[in-house]
Amino acid sequence: MHINNILKDMEKDNIQAYLLTQFTNIQYISNYKPTSFAFCVIKEEPIIYASKMDMEIANMNSSIEVKEFDKFETMVSELKEEGIKNMAIEPSLVYSTYEKFRDDFNIESKKYIDNERMIKSPQEIKNIEKATEIAQTAFKELDVSNRNETEDVLAFDLVRLMIENGASSESFDTILVSGASTSLPHAVPQAKKLETPILIDWGSKYNGYCSDNTRTIVYTEKEHEIFDIVKESHDNAIKAIKPGLKCCEIDKVARDIIKEYGFEDKFIHSTGHSLGLDIHENPGFSIKDDTVIEKGMVITVEPGIYLEGDFGVRLEDTIAVENKGRILGNLPLM
C-alpha cells in the first residue's frame, strides 16, 4: 500500500525512481531494517540493494526483491538499462551518495516517504501505545522521588526497567536531570545527587516504534507556579487538537498561554513533534508548520518554560489524532 501511494505521487511528477537509504525509511517500505547499508529504489518493480552481510536478514524480512550490492557503477547501469532518467531522492540523502547518481539522472529531492509516514496505520498506533505503556510502567516502578542515587544511575535504571517490561531499547538518550540542569532542554544526566526540581524525558521502543513522555517533579512555590503555567499550556493545546486545523495553530494555543504569563521568551522550542519508527518525524506543532492535521497522525505536546541558570519545567504527552486528540497512556502529570 505504501509503495502504491508513493508511485502515484511519483507519476504526477514524472519521476521514474525514488532512492531511499535511511534505515527506517527502508524498514517502513519493506519490513527489513538494514544493519550496514542499503539502497532501496522504488519503481514499478521495487528493489533493495543490500550489503553482503545483510543478505540473510534482508531475504528473511523484506517484502520486496533484494539483490546483493556490488558497486555503484553496477546499480547505476541497471537503472539506466530500465530507461530511468528522472530520479527522486529522500531529503536526508548524504551528499557523497548523491554524487554517485547526479551525472546519470535528473535528480530532485522529494518528501514522498515523509508524507506517507505522517499517517499511522492502526497497527502502528498500537505499537506506539504499547511502547508508551512500557515506558510509563517503568517510570512508576522507578519511583524517582523516593530514590537517593545519582542522576546517571537513575537514568540507567529507568532504561533497564523499560527493557525488563518489554522494550527493545530506549527510543532516545534518557534525560533524567535535576536542579539548574532542568533549564537545559537536552541536558545530560550527571553523577550528582538529585536536587529540585527533577525533570525526566524518556521513551521506549516496541516493535521498532517509539514513545516519548516528559514529567517534571516540583517542590518549591516558584517551581509550582511555573509548573501550573506549563500544565495549562499543555492541557489547552491538547484540547484544541482536531482534524482540519493547522499544526501551527496548536503551537499558537500553547505559546499564547505562556505568553500571557510573561514567559514567551522562555519557551524556546516547538510545542511538539510526530514520532513513529523515528523519535522525530513530520509534521510538528511548530510556528512554521502549516500542515493540516489529519486523523491517524501521532504528535507530541511538550510545552516548557526554561529559566536560565535556575530551573525549567516541561510536560509531554503523545497524542493520537482521532475526532479529537487522545492522550496515549494514563500517567498523571504529577
Side-chain angles (χ1 to χ4, degrees):
M1 180 182 69
H2 298 312
I3 290 176
N4 288 337
N5 290 341
I6 291 172
L7 285 171
K8 289 176 185 176
D9 290 337
M10 290 166 58
E11 186 177 4
K12 293 175 188 175
D13 295 335
N14 192 31
I15 297 293
Q16 298 164 292
Y18 187 33
L19 177 65
L20 306 175
T21 61
Q22 184 178 314
F23 287 4
T24 48
N25 281 341
I26 295 173
Q27 179 184 10
Y28 182 78
I29 289 297
S30 69
N31 198 44
Y32 148 60
K33 185 176 182 180
T35 68
S36 176
F37 67 85
F39 304 92
C40 175
V41 184
I42 298 178
K43 51 191 179 67
E44 287 302 323
E45 295 182 0
I47 189 168
I48 294 174
Y49 294 86
S51 70
K52 186 171 184 177
M53 65 188 296
D54 258 13
M55 285 301 292
E56 182 177 356
I57 190 172
N59 283 322
M60 281 172 37
N61 296 325
S62 179
S63 59
I64 62 180
E65 181 184 355
V66 178
K67 184 173 183 178
E68 185 178 329
F69 175 82
D70 175 26
K71 53 186 177 181
F72 280 108
E73 290 79 7
T74 303
M75 181 167 51
V76 168
S77 177
E78 289 177 355
L79 295 174
K80 289 173 69 175
E81 285 172 8
E82 293 185 38
I84 292 172
K85 297 179 180 179
N86 301 321
M87 175 185 287
I89 57 174
E90 61 191 356
S92 59
L93 189 77
V94 298
Y95 186 77
S96 59
T97 302
Y98 161 74
E99 287 183 306
K100 305 291 186 182
F101 295 91
R102 66 179 180 181
D103 293 335
D104 296 282
F105 305 98
N106 299 317
I107 294 179
E108 297 181 53
S109 175
K110 294 290 186 180
K111 293 185 177 181
Y112 301 132
I113 187 74
D114 304 81
N115 295 337
E116 182 69 12
R117 286 176 62 174
M118 283 186 187
I119 308 299
K120 269 55 180 182
S121 69
Q123 185 56 51
E124 287 182 290
I125 294 174
K126 285 181 181 178
N127 284 329
I128 297 169
E129 281 196 273
K130 181 63 177 177
T132 301
E133 176 191 321
I134 289 168
Q136 293 185 355
T137 298
F139 177 79
K140 292 172 186 174
E141 291 178 357
L142 183 68
D143 192 19
V144 65
S145 58
N146 289 313
R147 299 285 292 271
N148 294 314
E149 295 91 334
T150 56
E151 294 175 353
D152 53 355
V153 169
L154 288 168
F156 179 86
D157 216 16
L158 181 53
V159 176
R160 176 184 60 79
L161 286 167
M162 286 192 285
I163 292 171
E164 288 180 355
N165 278 281
S168 59
S169 66
E170 58 186 341
S171 53
F172 55 92
D173 290 343
T174 296
I175 299 171
L176 196 159
V177 296
S178 63
S181 295
T182 58
S183 71
L184 306 170
H186 290 160
V188 176
Q190 303 294 318
K192 68 172 187 178
K193 293 286 187 177
L194 294 178
E195 302 169 339
T196 70
I198 306 167
L199 186 150
I200 311 95
D201 188 347
W202 81 107
S204 79
K205 271 198 170 186
Y206 177 79
N207 280 348
Y209 284 83
C210 301
S211 76
D212 196 357
N213 279 113
T214 305
R215 293 293 184 266
T216 307
I217 304 170
V218 295
Y219 296 86
T220 69
E221 183 177 347
K222 185 177 180 181
E223 291 168 5
H224 276 284
E225 175 192 341
I226 299 300
F227 180 97
D228 289 342
I229 297 169
V230 174
K231 182 179 183 300
E232 184 179 342
S233 173
H234 165 279
D235 292 351
N236 280 271
I238 293 173
K239 288 176 185 175
I241 295 169
K242 64 178 180 179
L245 291 180
K246 293 181 178 180
C247 286
C248 56
E249 293 178 283
I250 305 303
D251 180 86
K252 188 175 187 303
V253 170
R255 207 166 294 280
D256 280 353
I257 289 170
I258 290 176
K259 181 180 180 180
E260 286 176 15
Y261 290 93
F263 292 101
E264 181 182 16
D265 62 338
K266 304 303 182 183
F267 183 10
I268 55 178
H269 53 70
S270 65
T271 296
H273 57 89
S274 291
L275 50 71
L277 290 170
D278 290 306
I279 192 61
H280 290 102
E281 297 185 3
N282 294 317
F285 291 139
S286 80
I287 196 168
K288 296 179 180 179
D289 197 328
D290 61 0
T291 303
V292 175
I293 299 168
E294 297 181 51
K295 290 182 182 180
M297 289 180 173
V298 178
I299 313 178
T300 68
V301 169
E302 53 171 322
I305 293 176
Y306 305 92
L307 307 178
E308 185 177 345
D310 195 359
F311 70 91
V313 172
R314 181 168 68 253
L315 298 171
E316 178 183 23
D317 280 299
T318 301
I319 312 302
V321 180
E322 298 172 348
N323 290 326
K324 57 182 181 178
R326 176 172 67 88
I327 299 174
L328 301 186
N330 58 4
L331 188 67
L333 289 177
M334 310 303 286

